[in-house]
């Protein structure tokens, strides 16, 4: 016995009434694209169709912002925040001169103070972003960094002591953590649909960071040269110039906070909700297909978004291995940025503006590799290969810098300059190859609701390396010279390569043994 359905629908603007249709006829009618979604009319017993264009209405303003501007705004915020860091890199020798510091552990404290504050921020803010939302925490940390930089600028202008300036840097570091949060946000946006956008978004993040290394040093050098105070002596003018450079970096961070607050939409609801089906830290994770996090309608069960851990078969062994590699790299990287400007100044007689131009030239090389090579290389060969190739170039560049710094002062200046600049260019080739590989490996290991915490853990380990290495290697620099300083940094990178390759070999061997068929009895 067939049921009867009353339908009223519009065709070519005319109303056509169908009395009683059988179920098959109604089913065929529903499959036709010309029929519109019908809703009951409360004033009649029939069914009235929607207007033809009612389902194609324009999206609301938040939807447009979410679709078009959230990812660019996060990339812009990362660029502006890092711009503040890179603007101050050329003034490092001038900052040491301002406080009458000799190259050594005391000079390295200028680099270690900010990471000391980062230890608190990097552990606190990324984990809070899992609970409170990426947008709110990201805006808060960027605004705090901007205010901390303004305090540093004011302290330099008021001729504060070294201890007061370092305290301001530590306070600024307490608002760090926006880097891991932005990567976690990009992972939230890019991990859906099999995660095909994850590597692309992280490559864009790395490219925006590299762009900051292009613009920042030359901008900082130009600001240092163009702006200055009206002090009667050179020291007063130097203080005003340093203060203005730091003030510009503070404005960049505040503008980054504003862009996130106005343009970014939250896309991390799964971070706070995905709790029902969570693996333990010891649960094995084998290489396999992506399992997207979805809210299943029948019961609201959430699955975890784990692909594989390239350097471990368990969650935390993989995370710990990647964090170890990352920490060794950051120990070397902080050494490079702490003492490379002084090397250019002492061996090649570069002034502040020339140091900034050198950093910008190297960053152009890095940006080219990041924009046109890094993502393609990682897609073709995988994140472990990109990590080891990038670290190999970084380590070779640092060892070459150590050799060049050990050459006698009276040797041909052209040869020394060629070695230093060539080794630095090789260093900047390796950085963008390595850069996206670590967050890619980490974010493949963790479910969405742990992304902020795991990225925060990695950032905390890296921060510890950045606190300790300038102090220890700065003392090596003081006792044994710049050559030994850069050779030790290069050794750290080669150890990181060894850890990555050995861990990958162990993972592949275990997976091969697991997947191999049992021998016949």
């Amino acid at each position: 016995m067939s049921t009867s359905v009353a339908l009223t629908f519009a065709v070519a603007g005319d109303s056509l009434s169908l009395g009683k249709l059988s179920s098959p006829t109604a089913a065929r009618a529903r499959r036709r694209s010309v029929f519109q979604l019908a809703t009951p009319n409360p004033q009649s017993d029939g069914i009235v169709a929607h207007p033809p264009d009612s389902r194609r209405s324009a999206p609301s303003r938040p939807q447009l912002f979410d679709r078009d501007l959230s990812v660019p705004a996060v990339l812009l915020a990362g660029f502006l925040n890092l711009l503040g860091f890179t603007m101050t890199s050329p003034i490092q020798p001038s900052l040491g001169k301002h406080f009458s510091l000799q190259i050594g552990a005391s000079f390295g404290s200028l680099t270690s103070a900010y990471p000391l504050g980062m230890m608190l921020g990097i552990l606190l803010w990324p984990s809070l972003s899992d609970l409170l939302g990426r947008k709110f925490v990201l805006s808060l940390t960027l605004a705090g960094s901007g205010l901390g930089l303004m305090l540093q600028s004011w302290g330099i202008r008021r001729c504060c002591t070294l201890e007061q300036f370092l305290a301001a840097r530590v306070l600024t570091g307490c608002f760090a953590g926006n880097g891991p949060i932005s990567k976690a946000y990009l992972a939230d946006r890019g991990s859906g649909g099999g995660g095909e956008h994850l590597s692309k978004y992280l490559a864009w993040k790395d490219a925006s960071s590299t762009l900051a290394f292009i613009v920042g040093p030359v901008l900082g050098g130009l600001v240092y040269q163009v702006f200055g105070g009206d002090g009667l002596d050179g020291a007063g003018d130097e203080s005003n110039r340093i203060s203005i450079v730091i003030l510009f970096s503070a404005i960049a961070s505040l503008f980054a906070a504003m862009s996130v607050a106005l343009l970014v939409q939250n896309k991390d609801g799964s971070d706070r909700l995905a709790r029902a089906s969570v693996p333990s830290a010891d649960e094995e994770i084998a290489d396999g297909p992506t399992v997207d996090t979805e809210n299943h309608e029948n019961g609201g069960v959430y699955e975890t978004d784990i692909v594989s851990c390239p350097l471990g078969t368990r969650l935390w062994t993989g995370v710990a291995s990647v964090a170890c590699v990352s920490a060794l790299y950051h120990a070397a990287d902080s050494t490079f940025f702490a003492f490379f400007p002084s090397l250019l100044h002492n061996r090649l007689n570069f002034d502040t503006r020339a140091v900034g131009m050198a950093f910008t030239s190297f960053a152009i090389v890095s940006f080219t590799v990041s924009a046109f090579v890094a993502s393609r290389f990682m897609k073709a060969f995988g994140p472990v290969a990109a990590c080891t190739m990038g670290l190999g170039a970084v380590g070779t560049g640092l060892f070459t810098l150590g050799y060049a710094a050990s050459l006698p002062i009276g040797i041909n200046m052209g040869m020394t300059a060629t070695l230093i600049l060539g080794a630095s260019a090789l260093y900047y080739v390796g950085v963008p190859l390595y850069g996206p590989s670590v967050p890619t490996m980490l974010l493949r290991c963790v479910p969405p609701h742990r992304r902020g915490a795991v990225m925060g853990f990695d950032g905390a380990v890296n921060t510890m390396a950045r606190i300790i290495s300038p102090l220890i290697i700065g003392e090596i620099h003081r006792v044994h010279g710049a050559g030994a300083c850069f050779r030790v940094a290069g050794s750290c990178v080669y150890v990181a390569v060894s850890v990555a390759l050995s861990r990958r070999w162990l993972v592949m061997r275990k997976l091969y043994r697991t997947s191999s068929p049992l021998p016949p009895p």
Side-chain angles (χ1 to χ4, degrees):
M1 177 177 177
S2 61
T3 52
S4 297
V5 180
L7 294 177
T8 303
F9 60 98
V11 178
D14 296 328
S15 297
L16 178 62
S17 299
L18 293 182
K20 296 183 178 181
L21 294 179
S22 61
S23 298
T25 306
R28 287 195 298 271
R30 285 194 299 270
R31 286 196 295 268
R32 295 177 183 174
S33 60
V34 296
F35 294 139
Q36 304 297 327
L37 182 65
T39 56
N41 187 350
Q43 298 179 357
S44 67
D45 295 333
I47 299 176
V48 178
H50 282 298
D53 295 332
S54 63
R55 297 180 67 189
R56 298 182 180 180
S57 59
S60 62
R61 179 182 177 90
Q63 288 176 328
L64 285 173
F65 274 23
D66 177 65
R67 183 183 62 189
D68 294 336
L69 297 179
S70 290
V71 171
V74 169
L75 298 177
L76 175 64
F79 164 76
L80 291 173
N81 181 65
L82 193 56
L83 184 69
F85 170 77
T86 56
M87 282 184 63
T88 59
S89 57
I91 67 172
Q92 197 77 357
S94 300
L95 198 58
K97 181 180 178 182
H98 172 79
F99 290 108
S100 303
L101 299 178
Q102 295 182 350
I103 295 180
S106 58
F107 187 84
S109 66
L110 295 174
T111 304
S112 297
Y114 181 79
L116 181 61
M118 284 180 64
M119 282 300 299
L120 173 63
I122 213 76
L123 290 172
L124 175 65
W125 303 118
S127 298
L128 280 180
S129 74
D130 288 337
L131 302 173
L132 304 179
R134 313 275 189 228
K135 175 183 176 179
F136 171 74
V137 180
L138 187 58
S139 302
L140 180 63
T141 55
L142 289 169
S145 296
L147 294 176
L149 288 168
M150 291 186 70
L151 181 62
Q152 292 181 45
S153 175
W154 180 82
I156 291 292
R157 183 175 290 274
R158 302 293 296 178
C159 297
C160 66
T161 64
L162 175 63
E163 290 76 12
Q164 292 171 337
F165 180 76
L166 294 179
R169 279 206 161 183
V170 171
L171 179 63
T172 307
C174 291
F175 290 94
N178 46 76
I181 297 171
S182 63
K183 290 175 182 177
Y185 180 85
L186 294 175
D188 296 337
R189 294 295 302 266
S191 59
E196 67 273 9
H197 297 300
L198 177 59
S199 297
K200 179 176 67 175
Y201 285 167
L202 293 177
W204 288 353
K205 176 68 169 65
D206 193 61
S208 68
S209 300
T210 306
L211 187 61
F213 279 93
I214 294 176
V215 178
V218 66
L219 182 60
L222 288 175
V223 169
Y224 180 86
Q225 293 292 334
V226 172
F227 295 91
D230 296 326
L232 298 179
D233 56 359
D237 185 66
E238 183 100 351
S239 300
N240 290 330
R241 292 176 189 269
I242 295 172
S243 173
I244 291 175
V245 172
I246 300 176
L247 179 61
F248 269 72
S249 66
I251 294 172
S253 291
L254 292 175
F255 190 80
M258 186 182 304
S259 67
V260 171
L262 295 178
L263 302 178
V264 172
Q265 299 294 323
N266 273 318
K267 293 294 289 186
D268 54 346
S270 60
D271 292 348
R272 298 187 298 273
L273 298 176
R275 295 289 188 268
S277 177
V278 179
S280 64
D282 296 329
E283 182 176 347
E284 290 197 5
I285 302 168
D287 288 335
T290 303
V291 181
D292 291 331
T293 303
E294 295 179 354
N295 183 8
H296 298 284
E297 295 180 0
N298 52 349
V301 179
Y302 291 84
E303 296 180 1
T304 56
D305 184 19
I306 296 177
V307 182
S308 63
C309 288
L311 300 187
T313 56
R314 297 176 183 271
L315 175 60
W316 288 109
T317 56
V319 170
S321 300
V322 176
C324 177
V325 172
S326 182
L328 290 168
Y329 162 78
H330 280 276
D333 186 65
S334 62
T335 300
F336 178 84
F337 282 99
F339 302 107
F340 181 66
S342 299
L343 180 66
L344 294 177
H345 179 75
N346 296 332
R347 295 303 301 263
L348 302 184
N349 298 320
F350 281 16
D351 59 11
T352 301
R353 184 175 180 180
V355 170
M357 290 298 296
F359 272 110
T360 296
S361 301
F362 297 140
I364 292 174
V365 175
S366 184
F367 181 79
T368 303
V369 176
S370 178
F372 301 106
V373 178
S375 60
R376 292 180 175 87
F377 186 91
M378 187 160 58
K379 183 178 180 180
F381 300 101
V384 178
C387 174
T388 53
M389 287 293 294
L391 289 176
V394 169
T396 304
L398 289 172
F399 260 100
T400 307
L401 280 177
Y403 172 75
S406 301
L407 293 175
I409 297 295
I411 202 170
N412 185 282
M413 180 64 72
M415 178 180 176
T416 303
T418 301
L419 286 173
I420 291 177
L421 298 180
S424 304
L426 181 61
Y427 180 93
Y428 274 88
V429 167
V431 168
L433 285 175
Y434 161 83
S437 65
V438 166
T440 299
M441 290 189 289
L442 281 177
L443 294 172
R444 284 185 176 185
C445 294
V446 296
H449 69 281
R450 290 186 180 180
R451 284 175 182 151
V454 170
M455 295 302 295
F457 168 76
D458 177 66
V461 175
N462 297 338
T463 301
M464 181 64 70
R466 287 188 172 275
I467 294 172
I468 296 174
S469 62
L471 301 176
I472 296 177
I473 300 182
E475 192 64 20
I476 293 174
H477 189 295
R478 185 185 68 83
V479 176
H480 301 285
C485 165
F486 288 106
R487 285 194 296 270
V488 170
S491 300
C492 292
V493 176
Y494 282 135
V495 172
V497 173
S498 302
V499 171
L501 291 177
S502 60
R503 285 297 304 164
R504 185 57 179 169
W505 179 77
L506 290 173
V507 169
M508 294 303 296
R509 186 181 68 168
K510 185 172 183 179
L511 292 176
Y512 176 77
R513 287 181 176 178
T514 303
S515 60
S516 298
L518 294 175

